[in-house]
Amino acid sequence: MKVAIASDHGGIRIREEIKKLMDEMGIEYTDFGCECETSVDYPDYALPVAQKVANGEFDRGILICGTGIGMSIAANKVKGIRCALVHDVFSAKATREHNDSNILAMGERVIGPGLAREIAKVWLTTPFEGGRHEKRIQKISAYENEQ
């Protein structure tokens, strides 16, 4: 699995924690920034990650900002992206099993690094169930293709 990860200025701490987790898990990743604590624009980080996941360069993406909201909104504008904003372990598991989410968004001002690691670990290791959920994903994809 190859993961693209990025944050804006509001998510640097958790991004570093998730990178450590992926190192421990032996997951290949590329960090797309940001490298500063001054204010930056989250679409400048969310959109490139989403595009790289959508075009198949990466299997999944992880985005972190202050709340995760801006990153998830931006990422979901990219065709083929199913970015889930998650702040609990149950939702991390459910969004992989039922929604086949390909990007995880989290907010550093909402959760701490310990919970973020738990969420990311569950999200990274949970497979998509397929079955009855597959047709729902296909309906979303069909709608995207009509636009």
Side-chain angles (χ1 to χ4, degrees), residues 2-144:
K2 288 175 55 178
V3 177
I5 186 169
S7 73
D8 69 1
H9 59 282
I12 293 172
R13 240 183 53 222
I14 284 182
R15 187 183 84 227
E16 292 305 314
E17 282 296 320
I18 302 307
K19 285 167 47 181
K20 288 179 198 171
L21 171 69
M22 289 191 290
D23 286 336
E24 293 164 11
M25 295 175 71
I27 294 174
E28 181 182 344
Y29 65 87
T30 301
D31 183 352
F32 291 94
C34 83
E35 300 305 327
C36 63
E37 293 186 20
T38 57
S39 182
V40 296
D41 298 330
Y42 58 81
D44 295 340
Y45 298 91
L47 293 172
V49 166
Q51 289 166 341
K52 289 176 186 305
V53 172
N55 74 22
E57 288 179 60
F58 290 85
D59 302 301
R60 297 201 200 156
I62 298 176
L63 298 170
I64 305 113
C65 63
T67 63
I69 297 168
M71 288 286 205
S72 64
I73 290 170
N76 278 318
K77 296 297 181 185
V78 176
K79 181 180 175 180
I81 293 302
R82 293 174 305 281
C83 179
L85 174 57
V86 175
H87 292 127
D88 63 88
V89 175
F90 173 81
S91 297
K93 183 174 173 118
T95 193
R96 283 291 310 133
E97 288 179 338
H98 298 187
N99 310 117
D100 196 21
S101 61
N102 50 14
I103 297 183
L104 170 67
M106 295 183 283
E108 185 170 306
R109 296 180 188 137
V110 180
I111 58 173
L115 180 54
R117 282 177 63 98
E118 287 181 59
I119 289 167
K121 185 173 184 177
V122 166
W123 186 80
L124 288 164
T125 59
T126 301
F128 177 50
E129 284 183 357
R132 71 183 195 278
H133 306 293
E134 182 66 38
K135 75 174 184 176
R136 296 167 185 161
I137 302 304
Q138 289 172 355
K139 285 182 179 186
I140 295 168
S141 295
Y143 178 82
E144 281 182 328

